[in-house]
Structure formats: structure tokens, C-alpha cells
Amino acid sequence: MQPWVWLTAYVLGFGLLQVLLYRHFSGRPASPQPPEERVTRADGGRQVGAEMTDTVVCGHCGAVNESHSMIRYCGACAESLR
């Protein structure tokens, strides 16, 4: 086959891949919960509905993370919270 045929097929295939990736990722919401359900407290905790969740401050970067038995690493720097 001629090199221009391979080049054309490559360019068209790459363009199609970009369009498919854009369509896949553009349909996702920005946050898992709607903004009206997410309320931030003054001390950095978060109130979801009527429940209050405790927070843990990362000792490495100072980011505020939720306190939960399954969360072991900081969401900002991936250092251990324990």
C-alpha cells in the first residue's frame, strides 16, 4: 500500500478516537452529588442531608478529608492519614 493511504487511515483513526474519548468524558457530572445537597460547614466538615460527617486534617499537606474507617489516604497528596 502507498504511504499516503496509511497516513490517511492513521489520521482518521486518531480523529475518531479523540471524538469518542470526548463524548465519553463530557457526559459525566462534575461532582457525585448535586450542589444543593452539599453544604460546607465553617469548620471544614460537610453536612449531607441531616447527617454531619467528621473530618481529618492531613498532617503532610493540611487538606481536610472525611473521617471514615475506609479512608486511609489523603485525597490531595495520597499520604497516609493514620
Side-chain angles (χ1 to χ4, degrees):
M1 249 201 270
Q2 299 291 332
W4 61 271
V5 174
W6 284 107
L7 182 63
T8 304
Y10 174 76
V11 169
L12 290 175
F14 186 74
L16 178 63
L17 175 67
Q18 295 298 313
V19 169
L20 291 174
L21 286 173
Y22 174 76
R23 290 185 66 197
H24 175 73
F25 288 111
S26 66
R28 294 188 178 201
S31 67
Q33 298 173 347
E36 62 272 4
E37 292 181 17
R38 177 177 256 173
V39 178
T40 305
R41 296 185 343 216
D43 64 351
R46 199 170 66 193
Q47 177 181 354
V48 180
E51 280 185 39
M52 295 279 197
T53 57
D54 294 328
T55 59
V56 175
V57 177
C58 177
H60 186 259
C61 70
V64 178
N65 296 282
E66 288 186 40
S67 176
H68 191 275
S69 62
M70 297 297 291
I71 299 175
R72 300 182 69 189
Y73 298 99
C74 177
C77 67
E79 288 289 322
S80 177
L81 293 174
R82 298 177 197 254

